Amino acid sequence: MTTTTATTAVTGAVGTSHTRIEGVAKVTGAARYAGELPFADLAHGWLVLSTIARGRVREIEADPVLRMPGVLAVLHHGNAPRVDADYVGMLGRPDPIAEAFQHDRVPFMGWPVALVVAETSEQAREAAEALVVHYEQEPHDIAFSAGRPGTYTPDGEGMRTEKGDLEAQLAASAHVVDAEYSTPEEHHISMEPHAATARWDNGRLEVVDSNQGSTWVADELAKLFSLDPSSVRVLSEHVGGAFGSKGLRIHQILAVMAATTLDRPVRVVMTRRQMFSLAGYRSPTAQRVRLGADPEGRLLAFDHQGHNLSSTVHEFVETSAAFGRPMYAADAHHTVSRVVRLDVPTPTYVRAPGEAPGSFAVESAIDELAEKCGVDPIALRVRNEPAVGPVSGLPFSSRNLLACFDEGARRFGWADRDPRPGLRREGRWLLGTGTAASAFPVLVAPSSAAVTAEADDTFTVRITAADVGTGARTALTLIAADALAVTPERVRVRIADSDFGPAMVAGGSMGTRSWGWAINLAARELREKLVPGGQIPPEGITARADTNEVVAALSQKERHSFGAQFAEVAVDTATGEVRVRRLLGIFAAGRIVNPLTARSQFVGGMTWGLSMALHEEAVRDQASGGLVSPDLAGYHVAANADVPDIEADWVADPDEDDPVGIKGIGEIGIVGTAAAIANAVWHATGVRHRTLPIRPDRVLLAGAGHGEAARA
């Protein structure tokens, strides 16, 4: 037995920079991901996806494939195990793709129609590519536009807000902006593909997976397969990116089906091309923003209408119209979300869902209003800074947006900016600068954690958190160390095992906040159990806690992270190329746990925002209903050479009313970046671009058409 020293005071770890605990293991290859772990007697499943966009599967010629070397099974709607998707999970009812192989309907191109299982991955792939599937094809419709037939406003909270007489305030306005903005279909492109291995072990289903929440996936699988929740275990120790795509997906479901059918472990890994159909994506948006202001630029009217598409089988809303609700005061404040159902895969959450495309529209429109009013864009934002939530009426827990603009403007040299567009030239390049605001809600969800004082004078934390590449494992170690008043070296954090109990997923920028809260409570209870100088038994001393009650008791305030984005661009007038020379983001994001990984998260989000502004665009072929090039050769993302100078930092953002002070940083970096770049392109050229991405051909057309083409 060891004497505990848990109450010895040490210097606080939170707020100091620490390299990732698992960093060396990842860069040396020692860290194993879901598709790499060895299993005895492992079989491999390969997905077969539909080649039509709408219709039925008429026949599957499985017999020739079953005679191919190594093939063990061909699962399809005629022979697959039954599942029950009539349930409500963490995010509501599951996408009906969870019912794959339960019927012969095909609702979009890329719908899973079969799984070929073989002894090796190569054999499974060869057989899957040889499988002949006959279809009864029907006409499909994938044409998306605002207000097209079939568009509707979904039911549910937050789909529409109305305050004040909008039309009257617009009529009374001295300055009006009425513009339409659009963003394309965008994809997560996680570095690690979706992978899952399922096996039965002594009556328990065990799934090793790449996901954002092991408890979440375990609960969904238990419901789908009508299993006792305690008989399902999901593990996901290392995840190579997620961004909203790695929840319940078809690869886990089919791995379980195949493992049950064959009574041996089965692994299913999506290919990159399959991920474009099966991992979700950000819906294209068509947005209309109307702003009305008095002669000094004070907003009288704010109206934001957001449109997105979803599949015919499941409703998903890209809530772009929600972005402006906490941002600007206006006498009349209206927002609405609208959806149209088409023969396409179901969209899903993508980093900063709603806020990323919504900020492009709103922050571009604010810049246009500043131009009309003859007011500096930052000064206009200051003029319309709300005292309370513009729609909710709730007080802000903290709101340091203007401090972000002050600090950002100082660092960026904003005071020296000539507001007139199209004047700065450097050889063939036109130069411009732009800015935009960022915001993302601060959320929290109940979680549970256990902390054990070990006999060797260390501490073990067990929590079903997920580290999707953010550095969460390291951040939680620092939080636990401070809660226990010990050094981080004495703390080991174990995560991503559903047996550890329920916990919030890594999503909505609320993971670290939710998990840290639970760890703090458990550590506090453990310290009360420990007696200074007392003995630790060989099995250790454990304390458990959950945050259900304390989360429910959180005060009614509006909580957001805020930020100010700044961009400098150069535009080649001969080729239409846009190059971003500088990006600066200053954020007010509460308590920063690990400055090293926090800065990485901000910079990563800003880089994605640049990618959104200039590169990313998935295009669907109207004739086939499928994507033109579902791969990284045709879907362009920003590379290192696209970001020569990028800097992220933060201002102090204390929240005296918050028990943890952590606000979340995963999402906010991308918010506003595309608008800042688009505003900088206007400053460089004098032409507004309201359609993303700002491609060279659009720049050239806009210049030739005196700006009209940019609005197309």
Side-chain angles (χ1 to χ4, degrees), residues 129-151:
E129 291 175 349
L131 185 68
V132 175
V133 181
H134 299 278
Y135 299 96
E136 182 180 305
Q137 192 167 359
E138 300 171 5
H140 63 265
D141 181 4
I142 66 166
F144 171 68
S145 62
R148 55 151 287 164
T151 300

Side-chain angles (χ1 to χ4, degrees), residues 411 583-587 598-599 602-603 606 646-650:
R411 293 198 195 185
L583 279 180
L584 169 66
I586 303 293
F587 302 96
R599 185 167 281 107
F602 289 135
V603 168
M606 293 166 67
I646 182 167
E647 182 183 0
D649 211 336
W650 47 86

Side-chain angles (χ1 to χ4, degrees), residues 495-569:
I495 63 171
D497 183 340
S498 62
D499 277 359
F500 293 160
M504 180 53 196
V505 304
S509 292
M510 68 178 106
T512 302
R513 174 177 168 83
S514 302
W515 306 324
W517 203 333
I519 289 171
N520 271 324
L521 284 180
R524 184 189 308 165
E525 292 191 20
L526 179 63
R527 292 182 68 179
E528 292 175 357
K529 287 186 175 184
L530 299 177
V531 178
Q535 298 295 306
I536 303 294
E539 69 275 13
I541 298 175
T542 298
R544 292 180 174 83
D546 67 67
T547 61
N548 287 284
E549 292 184 7
V550 288
V551 166
L554 196 63
S555 65
Q556 289 298 304
K557 289 187 177 181
E558 192 154 311
R559 285 181 162 83
H560 285 76
S561 292
F562 292 98
Q565 304 273 15
F566 294 82
E568 179 181 2
V569 304

